[in-house]
Amino acid sequence: MRRILFTGLLCCSAWLSAEPLTLSRIVSEPSLAGSQPSKPALSPDGQRVTWLAPREDDLDRYDLWQYQLGSGQRTRLVDSTLFEEGELSEEEKARRERQRIYGKGLLEYQWDTQGKALLFPIGGDIWLYRLESGKPQQLTRTEAFETDARFSPKGNYVSFIRQQNLVVIDLRTGQEQSLTVDGKGPLKNGMSEFVAQEEMDRMSGYWWSPDESAIAFLQVDESPVEQVIRNEIFADGIKLTEQRYPYAGRDNASVRVGVVSLDGGAIQWLPGARDNGGYLPRVNWNADGSAVTWQWQSRDQQTLQLWQWRKASQRRSLLLTETSRSWVNLSDDLHFLSTQPGFIWSSERSGFRHLYLMDEQGNLVRQLTEGNWAVDAVEAIDEAGGWVYFSGRRDTPLERHLYRVPLSGGEVQRLSQRAGFHQPVFSDDGSVYLDHFSSTRQPPQLSLHQADGKAIGWIAENAIEGDHPLVRYWSDWTQPQYGTLKADNGMTLHYRLFKPKTRPGQRYPVVVRVYGGPHAQTVRDSWSRHDYFTQYLVQQGFAVFQLDNRGSAARGLAFESEIYQRLGKVEVADQVAGAEYLTSLPWVDPDRIGIYGHSYGGYMTLMSLFTAPESFAAGVSGAPVTDWSLYDTHYTERYLAHPASNAEGYRLSSVFPYVDKLKGQLFVYHGMADDNVLYQNSTKLYKSLQDAGKLYESKDYPGSKHSMRGKTVQLHLMATIEDFLKRRL
């Protein structure tokens, strides 16, 4: 593999005189891990690899960079300072919070189909950047806020949402056309509802047909959703925000699917394509644009149906149904084939997510993958070569690898080689792919490969040598020890332990860093920004322990669904098993084991301190859910069912029946403008603790959202957590 970036010799003296990490270094230097490509992509013409990277003079501002495959040059492709940057709308701020998009400058981009132009949404307007001219062209200049902009499949149009309506611009004529006009108030066209953004990984509400003749879109009517007035508390005042928030057990938005043609005419509302008391999580066109499909999910999420409407017959048909005794997880693994009738589909019907080839009526042709391991996602399909490329966990749940399997059936081949976490991005024709790779020993790298896995060259090697920012700290960087424990039902639990430098005869405190919730995995061989604080705690003399309890991801549906209809029980039991293991280690002080987590991890901290007070001496609970009736429908009811059918499960899953059992030291923090886990969760907890006469510590952050972003907030929060852990452990 040809080295392109970060060449140089390692200075041995740097290894012998490592500097200690500081909180200010962690917070103010996001480049601590070196070159970290963000949103890497291959241009459609196959000539460039592009990614977003922060500027040296402003680490919060991002430019678009390129690596040209022909010349091997790495240069800035688009400078963010060329664009005027307006103020974001409140809706867009919330959307970006749910997308976890932060910073300034160029934060999103899209290539046209020819690889000759780029589209940038900036500050509520849309900009076109043609590579030939090297100058940005502002496509919209209105007081209204335009969002969710994209090129049409052939690059002749740009579509976007303005004032809750779907609009297109013909790039050949410059003419603008509003495809819907009735969006206002609670009625939204082409947009995704709150639970779709927050819980279904669907940030958009419209989809182009392959021939550019029409757009399928969702019309969302939020009027059934309870409108609440939520306080967002800032340093200089309180902002009253009206929000339609679908609390568990309450009404959801009403959603239906329509198709609108660009040549005019009435909107065609597809027969039966409504939520009907459930959800519409996915909409797709087939390969030739002759049919629209939608997935319907029942309110209890135990049934998922794939429906199809064909333009020629104007009729709908049911292609397939998935069912589960707990819940059916969503995926994006529906891929229609273009050279033969049928599609690729993934399902957990065997207990693990695997790939299936279906005919055009939805009948099974053959199962492509099988075994007691999980497919993560379909990455590409090469119909000409007869391959399906996918990422998964066949070798170990702690690593993510790229594999391929013949469309005709046969043996699975592993293409990625190095142990760690591989996130491939394929070219449109499937001939090459980018490998976004990391491990606990290697911060993120980006390399280019042929489809069969053969390396072509580095895009960003990011080797820890020379002037890499980690060199000065690397000799004190602690690698975790991995291992397994058994849950009380015999299931295998994976853990990792970061051990400080110990002295014979001394015992050390341990911080259990926990998330514990579904659809997440903390014990894996990958680089994470969260591990910077872990490394800092280890250098301060703490051991840090992580265990993926039952309910977490990448282990199959049976492992995940152990939490069904009762949260905070088996998860805590598994964390207690982890604490018991820690007490067996001769260098661990059994009286100084603490627990720390954010969001679901904050909830786990509370449940662990309240229901297993003998196992944990102290805990840090960040932005916790305390009462699941205060959280949204789609997430909460997936795991706890409807409150009307599982009232006792909701009661026992909240923290309040156990508050009086608190014995250890508790510290709670929360953002006072959190629109995900509402601040009310913590105020309700504070009152309950006070009523029970329980002492606790708290820090609440004016203006902060759920992710607690911002250098000053992060620095203060980490310093406060460190102070608490040192005092209490």
Side-chain angles (χ1 to χ4, degrees), residues 422-442:
H422 298 265
Q423 300 179 76
V425 178
F426 273 79
S427 61
D428 290 348
D429 63 4
S431 62
V432 296
Y433 69 90
L434 295 168
D435 185 11
H436 199 202
F437 168 80
S438 76
S439 71
T440 57
R441 301 161 301 284
Q442 174 60 57

Side-chain angles (χ1 to χ4, degrees), residues 703-724:
S704 286
K705 298 287 189 178
H706 189 60
S707 52
M708 307 295 295
R709 301 294 294 187
K711 294 177 184 177
T712 56
V713 169
Q714 287 278 305
L715 183 59
H716 187 274
L717 177 59
M718 288 182 184
T720 305
I721 293 172
E722 177 195 8
D723 173 71
F724 173 83

